[in-house]
């Protein structure tokens, strides 16, 4: 099984930045699709960003222009740079790898996601 471990979350003020990291094992990060979703307790999963093996990215409209997803295949890692954070960005953020399929787009990481995900890292904006 794929294992994913996130880090980098914390509590920040609105307008500040955070950089989340995810290290994958049992998976070659350059081989396919990876992404991030976020979830507030009791609410639906929301896909945040995706990145495919070629480095093509997609983003949720709510974070477009503020967040940047990237990957380092040599380190089996994926990152989420979050700038200009807003109160509504507060959530648990999870790194995720879908089981398969042709599409690597952010909508795959939403409510009906099927694949692997990590324990999450909490981001709180105030």
């Amino acid at each position: 099984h794929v294992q994913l471990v996130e880090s980098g979350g914390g509590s920040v003020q609105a307008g500040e930045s955070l950089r989340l990291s995810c290290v994958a094992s049992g998976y070659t990060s350059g081989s396919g699709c990876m992404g991030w979703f976020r979830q507030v307790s009791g609410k639906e999963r929301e896909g945040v960003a995706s990145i495919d093996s070629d480095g093509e990215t997609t983003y949720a409209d709510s974070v477009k222009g503020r967040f940047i997803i990237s990957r380092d295949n040599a380190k089996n890692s994926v990152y989420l740079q979050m700038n200009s954070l807003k109160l509504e960005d507060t959530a648990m953020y999870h790194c995720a790898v879908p089981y398969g399929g042709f599409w690597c787009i952010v909508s795959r990481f939403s409510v009906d996601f099927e694949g692997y995900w990590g324990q999450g890292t909490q981001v709180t904006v105030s």
Side-chain angles (χ1 to χ4, degrees):
H1 283 269
V2 173
Q3 295 187 39
L4 303 163
V5 180
E6 303 95 333
S7 62
S11 297
V12 298
Q13 295 182 353
E16 295 183 338
S17 298
L18 283 173
R19 181 176 173 86
L20 307 184
S21 298
C22 170
V23 179
S25 61
Y27 177 81
T28 302
S29 63
S31 67
C33 184
M34 301 184 73
W36 294 85
F37 66 80
R38 63 189 182 186
Q39 191 165 25
V40 177
S41 182
K43 298 183 179 180
E44 291 183 345
R45 179 186 298 119
E46 178 188 16
V48 175
S50 69
I51 185 165
D52 70 12
S53 59
D54 295 321
E56 295 289 334
T57 60
T58 68
Y59 298 92
D61 288 342
S62 59
V63 307
K64 197 171 297 180
R66 298 189 297 119
F67 290 11
I68 302 171
I69 187 172
S70 61
R71 66 197 300 164
D72 185 336
N73 294 336
K75 297 180 179 179
N76 281 353
S77 297
V78 62
Y79 308 96
L80 187 68
Q81 178 67 43
M82 304 185 294
N83 300 317
S84 301
L85 283 161
K86 302 176 179 179
L87 268 61
E88 53 263 43
D89 295 318
T90 296
M92 183 73 73
Y93 284 72
H94 299 264
C95 177
V97 175
Y99 287 139
F102 297 122
W103 299 101
C104 188
I105 53 177
V106 67
S107 61
R108 288 196 65 192
F109 294 84
S110 294
V111 63
D112 59 346
F113 176 77
E114 294 183 354
Y116 303 96
W117 64 89
Q119 84 290 341
T121 185
Q122 178 68 35
V123 173
T124 302
V125 185
S126 63

